């Protein structure tokens, strides 16, 4: 079966750093994606990991450990506009994209 | 480059009716995937089309169907609508849909079933 877990909600302060974790169990694996979704809008791509390690992209970084079925998204220098839902998704050969439930992040002033 | 477009943006239907949603992918993208998003279930994969063929299918009843045309545009049909079908329906396109390419999402069609 497939299972992707993320915390439901997180709160952080403007300027701080926050780490959003994602654990997964899928029958196949060909990459892990992170998407950002603002309320009422479509998801937008943030990052893609297929090999173990850290991928950095500006204020956003994503880490993957395939042996542990674990990933995290790190957001630095938080801004109010970062308040959104963050979706972890695994590309599973047998099932296409499998999305986690999403983590709703609230950034407070 | 124009993004993914979906029409209509909003729809209100009653139980038992059927509905057809349309998605135009980014030019050059050949893979189109459809998702249902609800507050309780999150984003769930419906099906994926590539070169006019359904390549993958999620765990949805046969009332949900789709097709893709030669220009890569895709339609999704839901027959005999139920209240539980109320959701945001998103389509996403990618170059070849092999997992190595990111998916670009359209704005979605919000379907309300009364």
């Amino acid at each position: 079966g497939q299972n992707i877990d993320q915390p439901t909600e997180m709160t952080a302060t403007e300027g701080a750093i926050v780490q959003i974790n994602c654990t997964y169990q899928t029958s196949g694996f060909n990459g892990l994606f992170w998407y950002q979704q603002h309320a009422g809008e479509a998801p937008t791509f943030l990052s893609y990991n297929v090999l173990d390690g850290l991928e950095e992209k500006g204020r956003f970084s994503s880490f993957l450990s395939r042996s542990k079925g674990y990933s995290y998204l790190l957001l630095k220098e938080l801004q109010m506009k970062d308040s959104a839902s963050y979706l972890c998704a695994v590309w599973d050969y047998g099932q296409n994209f499998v999305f986690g439930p999403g983590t709703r992040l609230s950034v407070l002033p | 480059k124009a993004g993914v477009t979906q029409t209509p943006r909003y729809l209100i239907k009653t139980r038992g009716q059927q509905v057809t949603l349309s998605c135009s992918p980014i030019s050059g993208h050949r893979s189109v995937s459809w998702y249902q998003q609800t507050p309780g279930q999150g984003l769930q994969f419906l099906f994926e089309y590539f070169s006019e063929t359904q390549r993958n299918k999620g765990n949805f009843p046969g009332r949900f169907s789709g097709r893709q045309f030669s220009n890569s545009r895709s339609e999704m049909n839901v027959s005999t609508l139920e209240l539980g079908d109320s959701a945001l329906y998103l389509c996403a396109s990618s170059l070849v849909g092999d997992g190595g390419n990111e998916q670009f999402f359209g704005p979605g069609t919000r379907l309300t079933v009364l």
Side-chain angles (χ1 to χ4, degrees):
Chain A
Q2 308 143 50
N3 190 45
I4 299 182
D5 276 322
Q6 303 178 236
T8 306
E9 291 190 37
M10 296 183 73
T11 303
T13 306
E14 198 174 11
I17 299 173
V18 71
Q19 177 175 312
I20 302 175
N21 295 325
C22 170
T23 58
Y24 64 89
Q25 288 178 303
T26 56
S27 53
F29 179 85
N30 194 37
L32 187 142
F33 294 74
W34 282 95
Y35 284 85
Q36 180 191 59
Q37 186 176 26
H38 285 100
E41 297 181 14
T44 55
F45 170 81
L46 287 177
S47 69
Y48 168 61
N49 295 70
V50 66
L51 299 176
D52 290 351
L54 188 69
E55 293 282 340
E56 296 186 79
K57 205 185 218 185
R59 295 189 299 114
F60 293 70
S61 303
S62 56
F63 171 84
L64 175 67
S65 168
R66 288 172 296 171
S67 62
K68 296 181 179 176
Y70 168 70
S71 172
Y72 68 72
L73 179 70
L74 194 71
L75 292 78
K76 303 174 189 173
E77 301 168 18
L78 279 173
Q79 302 175 8
M80 299 297 289
K81 67 178 182 180
D82 297 329
S83 292
S85 286
Y86 291 86
L87 309 173
C88 168
V90 171
W91 174 264
D92 179 330
Y93 272 125
Q95 296 291 329
N96 204 265
F97 276 94
V98 181
F99 279 83
T103 298
R104 187 182 305 172
L105 173 66
S106 298
V107 180
L108 306 177
Chain B
K1 196 185 233 186
V4 179
T5 58
Q6 290 186 248
T7 56
R9 293 293 311 278
Y10 302 91
L11 260 182
I12 299 176
K13 293 284 187 179
T14 55
R15 277 184 301 174
Q17 287 188 306
Q18 75 161 19
V19 67
T20 299
L21 313 181
S22 180
C23 171
S24 292
I26 291 172
S27 177
H29 285 193
R30 295 168 63 190
S31 169
V32 174
S33 296
W34 287 90
Y35 296 88
Q36 181 195 66
Q37 187 172 37
T38 58
Q41 299 294 320
L43 254 175
Q44 292 189 288
F45 170 70
L46 280 156
F47 29 65
E48 184 234 356
Y49 285 87
F50 179 81
S51 291
E52 301 179 66
T53 301
Q54 187 182 86
R55 195 159 61 171
N56 286 301
K57 191 177 190 309
N59 297 322
F60 277 80
R63 301 185 296 108
F64 292 81
S65 63
R67 58 178 175 167
Q68 186 180 35
F69 302 94
S70 58
N71 61 358
S72 293
R73 189 177 71 84
S74 176
E75 287 182 348
M76 189 193 103
N77 185 275
V78 188
S79 62
T80 320
L81 283 166
E82 300 177 1
L83 295 180
D85 297 332
S86 294
L88 179 67
Y89 290 88
L90 292 162
C91 88
S93 77
S94 65
L95 277 172
V96 292
D98 65 354
N101 302 123
E102 67 181 271
Q103 290 192 325
F104 294 84
F105 284 84
T109 294
R110 185 162 296 281
L111 172 65
T112 302
V113 182
L114 303 176

